[in-house]
């Protein structure tokens, strides 16, 4: 496509920014940059099926972005990751519960980006219709969601209540995602769908590793 290389570099900028930032709002901004580039890249080319699944992909990620902003609004005191980790234990009971709820909402958002189940059913179909180089880039992009889970939920929300919920939930989700990906790959009749399911299985494997520290 005509704008492939431009959008590819925008997506790379979003990925690198998400890995480097120490601020939750900047993380949101870099997520939006890489997602906007991914929308264009996914819809590059023609075909009714690609357009249909492209709309599906955009809608899911717009919903995730809205939840991201709501989650940020529930975190009290600061959006700097170090400050949030420092302030969290000092909050009174109501504010602490609100901040933990915000952290869990962010966990759902990052789960959508990482394509973990039950919010990751979009991935195999999307990979099946994307052009080959775009599908390869998307494989890297899902790992940004996993990194965000590790960085934000694994370290910023580092108190007993948050970690207990995080560890128990993540291990179960990782196991389900990995098994579902393997079963889907066994049943796949097309190579592209097979690859999509294998990427989903690898997401589950990484989530299991994070949950087990």
């Amino acid at each position: 496509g005509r704008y492939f290389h431009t959008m590819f570099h925008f997506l790379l900028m979003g990925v690198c920014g998400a890995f480097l930032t120490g601020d939750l709002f900047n993380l949101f901004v870099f997520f939006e940059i890489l997602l906007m580039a991914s929308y264009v890249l996914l819809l590059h080319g023609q075909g009714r099926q690609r357009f249909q699944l492209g709309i599906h992909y955009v809608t899911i990620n717009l919903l995730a972005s809205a939840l991201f902003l709501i989650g940020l609004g529930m975190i009290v005191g600061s959006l700097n990751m170090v400050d949030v980790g420092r302030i969290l234990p000092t909050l009174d009971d109501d504010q602490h519960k609100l901040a933990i709820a915000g952290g869990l909402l962010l966990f759902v958002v990052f789960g959508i980006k990482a394509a973990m189940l039950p919010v990751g059913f979009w991935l195999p179909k999307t990979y099946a219709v994307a052009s080959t180089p775009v599908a390869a880039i998307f494989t890297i992009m899902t790992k940004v969601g996993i990194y965000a889970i590790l960085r934000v939920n694994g370290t910023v929300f580092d108190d007993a209540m948050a970690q207990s919920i995080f560890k128990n939930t993540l291990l179960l989700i990782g196991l389900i995602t990995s098994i579902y990906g393997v079963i889907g790959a066994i049943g796949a009749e097309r190579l592209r769908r097979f690859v999509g399911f294998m990427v989903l299985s690898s997401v589950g494997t990484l989530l299991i590793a994070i949950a087990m520290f």
Side-chain angles (χ1 to χ4, degrees):
R2 182 178 176 186
Y3 299 107
F4 175 82
H5 293 94
T6 306
M7 290 299 110
F8 176 74
H9 281 93
F10 268 113
L11 191 144
L12 280 183
M13 181 176 75
V15 169
C16 292
F19 276 111
L20 292 170
T21 187
D23 184 272
L24 288 168
F25 187 77
N26 284 345
L27 181 65
F28 168 78
V29 171
F30 283 118
F31 261 121
E32 289 306 299
I33 291 170
L34 71 88
L35 284 171
M36 282 189 285
S38 75
Y39 301 155
V40 180
L41 288 170
L42 179 61
L43 293 170
H44 255 207
Q46 297 179 348
R48 181 180 176 182
Q49 193 176 19
R50 183 175 293 180
F51 180 77
Q52 187 176 18
L53 285 168
I55 296 297
H56 184 208
Y57 173 76
V58 171
T59 305
I60 289 169
N61 280 287
L62 287 175
L63 175 63
S65 297
L67 292 176
F68 201 148
L69 284 175
I70 293 168
L72 291 180
M74 295 168 74
I75 299 168
V76 180
S78 177
L79 290 176
N80 181 280
M81 293 183 189
V82 176
D83 284 346
V84 172
R86 180 176 55 81
I87 293 169
L88 197 63
T90 66
L91 297 174
D92 62 49
D93 193 47
D94 288 342
Q95 288 183 327
H96 183 265
K97 287 179 180 176
L98 187 65
I100 295 299
L104 293 174
L105 197 56
L106 293 182
F107 174 58
V108 173
V109 172
F110 300 146
I112 294 172
K113 313 293 188 190
M116 71 181 189
L117 294 187
V119 288
F121 289 107
W122 60 267
L123 187 144
K125 288 184 178 180
T126 304
Y127 275 57
V129 299
S131 62
T132 304
V134 172
I137 298 163
F138 278 21
T139 305
I140 299 169
M141 197 174 70
T142 53
K143 304 307 182 286
V144 181
I146 295 173
Y147 165 77
I149 289 171
L150 179 62
R151 177 81 187 271
V152 177
N153 296 99
T155 57
V156 175
F157 292 92
D158 188 22
D159 71 348
M161 179 181 173
Q163 286 301 306
S164 175
I165 298 169
F166 174 63
K167 282 176 64 178
N168 296 333
T169 306
L170 194 63
L171 183 59
L172 181 62
I173 288 171
L175 286 167
I176 293 170
T177 303
S178 188
I179 292 167
Y180 174 79
V182 171
I183 293 170
I186 291 169
E189 296 179 351
R190 293 175 56 204
L191 183 60
R192 283 176 175 271
R193 282 186 68 82
F194 173 81
V195 172
F197 279 114
M198 289 309 297
V199 171
L200 196 65
S201 181
S202 73
V203 167
T205 306
L206 290 169
L207 292 175
I208 292 167
I210 294 170
M212 295 177 71
F213 285 84

